[in-house]
Amino acid sequence: MIIKLIEKETVSKGGIVLAGPDAQEASKGKVLAIGSDVEFVEVGEVILPNWQKAKPTKYENEDFFVVHEDDVVLIFEGDETSA
């Protein structure tokens, strides 16, 4: 699977600049492409991968990650966060 890290907001909806990401909050990724052997994850879903096993890659100066389906910790339902 190819995923893109969803950047955390640095400014709140009210315009307040946030100090930095919460260390306790895990980073999400949006699934951009899947292989033929992927059964439980679909393109467009927001997931929490095991970032230690994600393999970083670049394409046209953008950062992406390759993640195996076995390394998906959580699939978010109804999460409309875009990447």
Side-chain angles (χ1 to χ4, degrees):
M1 259 183 292
I2 305 294
I3 66 169
K4 184 166 178 74
L5 175 67
I6 297 174
E7 298 292 332
K8 294 187 174 104
E9 295 293 324
T10 56
V11 178
S12 73
K13 291 181 182 179
I16 299 172
V17 177
L18 304 174
D22 182 355
Q24 300 298 319
E25 185 179 344
S27 297
K28 301 175 184 177
K30 184 167 186 178
V31 180
L32 303 177
I34 60 172
S36 60
D37 59 339
V38 176
E39 296 180 31
F40 302 108
V41 180
E42 296 180 13
V43 171
E45 288 187 310
V46 176
I47 64 168
L48 173 64
N50 179 344
W51 288 108
Q52 293 179 347
K53 293 187 177 181
K55 295 182 174 113
T57 188
K58 274 191 183 271
Y59 179 73
E60 295 184 356
N61 291 327
E62 284 196 64
D63 294 321
F64 299 96
F65 295 88
V66 178
V67 177
H68 291 280
E69 187 174 32
D70 293 342
D71 297 326
V72 174
V73 177
L74 182 66
I75 300 172
F76 293 93
E77 289 187 19
D79 195 325
E80 298 182 11
T81 307
S82 61

